[in-house]
């Protein structure tokens, strides 16, 4: 009789759901750190994670995390659909916000962006990268970033930007050395100076060449 009562007793609640939710959430956080290269790793700088992989994967991980946090007795099709739809909307709005920021030329480009031109110094330690962006009405602009390789990690410095409406269209990178670089623009050749150790830019691109966006 005792055996029958023990068999009929309700089983203890499973604790796998919160664990799975935590694993999915931590995986999402790790994915974000990889996408934006939070650790400044050279390998991620040279081989950034494509946006076509990042955004769908982030959506799936967040949807799984939210779904697992829903109590099992309430985790029906409707609740799962709301979790998937809600996380999808959140990811979409975040992506749109990032895209709008890049279109408005707000500051230096994201580390996951693809440069339109790159030139390295003779020793390969310093690198100048040019990223393109568009203003509100579609006028082209360019951000100039200096990058230094330090073993497994790297350091970057924002050297300023150029804007086509300021008669400063970008033409080419002319030279890159430890402490200086030169670029050719519509306004002529421009020199940029920086501290090779601290990567602090001591002479940047004139602000008026960026039409108020720099």
């Amino acid at each position: 009789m005792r055996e029958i009562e023990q068999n009929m007793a309700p089983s203890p609640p499973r604790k796998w759901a919160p664990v799975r939710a935590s694993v999915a959430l931590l995986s999402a956080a790790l994915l974000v750190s990889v996408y934006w290269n939070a650790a400044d790793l050279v390998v991620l700088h040279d081989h950034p994670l494509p946006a076509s992989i990042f955004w769908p994967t982030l959506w799936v991980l967040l949807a799984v995390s939210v779904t697992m946090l829903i109590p099992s007795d309430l985790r029906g099709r409707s609740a799962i659909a709301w979790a998937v739809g809600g996380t999808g909307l959140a990811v979409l709005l975040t992506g749109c916000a990032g895209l709008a920021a890049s279109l408005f030329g707000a500051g230096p480009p994201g580390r996951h962006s693809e440069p339109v031109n790159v030139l390295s110094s003779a020793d390969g330690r310093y690198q100048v990268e040019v990223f393109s962006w568009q203003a509100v009405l579609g006028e082209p602009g360019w951000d100039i970033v200096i990058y230094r390789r330090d073993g497994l990690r790297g350091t970057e410095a924002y050297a300023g930007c150029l804007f086509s409406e300021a008669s400063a269209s970008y033409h080419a990178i002319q030279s890159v050395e430890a402490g200086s670089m030169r670029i050719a623009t519509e306004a002529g050749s421009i020199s940029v100076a920086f501290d090779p150790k601290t990567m602090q830019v001591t002479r940047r691109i004139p602000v008026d060449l960026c039409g108020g966006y720099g």
Side-chain angles (χ1 to χ4, degrees), residues 13-94:
R14 295 184 178 181
K15 298 181 179 180
W16 287 109
V19 173
R20 291 172 180 172
S22 300
V23 171
L25 193 59
L26 289 175
S27 299
L30 178 61
L31 184 69
V32 169
S33 67
V34 169
Y35 185 59
W36 271 282
N37 195 7
D40 296 325
L41 297 178
V42 171
V43 63
L44 294 179
H45 178 273
D46 293 340
H47 306 283
L49 182 65
S52 58
I53 295 177
F54 169 72
W55 293 107
T57 305
L58 180 63
W59 179 16
V60 170
L61 291 173
L62 291 178
V64 170
S65 179
V66 172
T67 300
M68 289 294 102
L69 290 176
I70 300 175
S72 58
D73 56 333
L74 300 177
R75 199 182 302 147
R77 292 184 178 180
S78 177
I80 295 176
W82 276 104
V84 173
T87 53
L89 180 61
V91 170
L92 177 62
L93 292 177
T94 303

Side-chain angles (χ1 to χ4, degrees), residues 5 9-10 47 62 66 69 72 80 87-88 94 108 118 120 129 135 148 153 159 175 186 194-195 197 201 205:
E5 292 178 354
H47 306 283
L62 291 178
V66 172
L69 290 176
S72 58
I80 295 176
T87 53
T94 303
V118 176
S120 299
E129 303 171 341
R148 183 186 68 190
R153 302 186 64 184
S175 64
E186 181 183 355
F194 61 95
D195 189 317
K197 295 182 179 180
V201 177
I205 298 172

Side-chain angles (χ1 to χ4, degrees), residues 37 52 125 145 202:
N37 195 7
S52 58
R125 188 180 183 188
V145 175
T202 54

